[in-house]
Amino acid sequence: VARDRLFQLHASTMAASGRLTEFAGPRALAADREMRTLGLPRAAERKLAALADDAVAMRILRAYADGVNAWIDT
């Protein structure tokens, strides 16, 4: 995924965090406000905390993140 879609991963993260204006400029401000109102990063943190007891889910998420980070490191 990282090899082929790193830019998309980064842009999606910025958009979901309400930080797209940093990347796309002032025209993205309305979208950033909407996303910050929705609070997706907080919701994601709650979901991750809820998964903390699910060893299989955590292994899958860690393996995915490790793969992305390994590609970035190359």
Side-chain angles (χ1 to χ4, degrees):
V1 170
R3 183 190 71 205
D4 298 326
R5 298 182 181 265
L6 190 57
F7 174 80
Q8 181 182 9
L9 287 169
H10 181 66
S12 295
T13 299
M14 297 290 280
S17 299
R19 297 177 51 212
L20 198 55
T21 301
E22 295 173 32
F23 176 75
R27 65 179 176 245
L29 187 56
D32 279 354
R33 287 184 178 139
E34 183 175 348
M35 296 309 275
R36 287 179 183 214
T37 299
L38 290 173
L40 293 182
R42 288 186 305 276
E45 288 174 10
R46 285 192 304 271
K47 289 282 187 183
L48 184 60
L51 285 174
D53 292 334
D54 185 340
V56 173
M58 293 306 291
R59 267 198 326 265
I60 292 168
L61 291 172
R62 174 56 49 207
Y64 183 87
D66 287 348
V68 170
N69 289 327
W71 177 258
I72 291 169
D73 289 342
T74 64

